[in-house]
Amino acid sequence: KHSLANACGIISEQVAVLGDTLGIPEEKRCWGAIREEIVRLQKRADSEPAVHYHKGICEALGKDLVASCMGVDSCLEVEVTQGQYDSIVSFAFNCGVDALRRSSFLRSINSKASNDEIVQNLLKWNKVRRGGKLEVSSGLMRRRIDEGRAWPL
């Protein structure tokens, strides 16, 4: 019901890294272009050992993304827009499907809470563990803000 290609779009950091790694011009970067390049690399992989490394990265990322989409599909109980679905997949890709299932973010979506409540629950996921202590990560905060844009306030 939701497009995997669109869900991939929000995961721009990963697409940018893969695009750089695979030499895909910035204006042509999308999951479809990356998938095409993977197929091309698979055809060359037998003769060029370095290609195996790139292919492995792409395949692992693709499998993780598909697993994230499937996980979201298994726990999402309400209709959401494509943009909201993309945000939820991005969250699951970053934090894990198990974390999504346990999150107040998902509970607020499934209970049809207000957009403000949904975004507030999403923004709680902005910390990393450093030296045994949780600290706010500016990178995660930017990512959560980007994901939260799918629920206009």
Side-chain angles (χ1 to χ4, degrees):
K1 96 176 126 171
H2 292 286
S3 165
L4 176 60
N6 284 335
C8 296
I10 199 168
I11 306 172
S12 59
E13 291 172 34
Q14 290 82 6
V15 170
V17 169
L18 282 173
D20 287 343
T21 301
L22 297 171
I24 297 171
E26 192 168 334
E27 67 277 4
K28 293 184 179 181
R29 287 185 189 164
C30 67
W31 193 250
I34 289 170
R35 186 174 300 153
E36 287 174 17
E37 185 63 10
I38 292 168
V39 169
R40 190 182 71 71
L41 288 173
Q42 286 171 333
K43 291 176 182 174
R44 292 177 41 210
D46 292 335
S47 60
E48 298 176 45
V51 174
H52 285 288
Y53 173 74
H54 298 313
K55 184 180 84 166
I57 291 172
C58 295
E59 287 176 348
L61 182 60
K63 286 177 185 175
D64 288 348
L65 188 55
V66 169
S68 295
C69 289
M70 291 173 61
V72 168
D73 290 344
S74 73
C75 60
L76 193 58
E77 300 170 359
V78 296
E79 289 293 318
V80 295
T81 67
Q82 180 67 52
Q84 291 166 342
Y85 181 80
D86 297 347
S87 286
I88 300 164
V89 169
S90 175
F91 178 92
F93 185 87
N94 180 242
C95 298
V97 172
D98 288 340
L100 173 66
R101 283 191 179 108
R102 295 187 313 266
S103 72
S104 57
F105 172 53
L106 180 65
R107 283 193 303 276
S108 59
I109 293 168
N110 282 337
S111 69
K112 298 183 179 182
S114 69
N115 286 359
D116 183 55
E117 184 178 338
I118 291 169
V119 171
Q120 291 307 312
N121 284 319
L122 174 61
L123 293 176
K124 293 175 185 177
W125 290 82
N126 66 350
K127 296 174 184 67
V128 295
R129 191 170 300 279
R130 291 191 184 116
K133 295 181 182 179
L134 285 176
E135 296 179 9
V136 172
S137 162
S138 59
L140 281 179
M141 193 59 173
R142 281 191 302 274
R143 183 178 185 137
R144 298 289 100 88
I145 289 169
D146 285 345
E147 292 164 343
R149 288 192 175 107
W151 287 272
L153 301 177

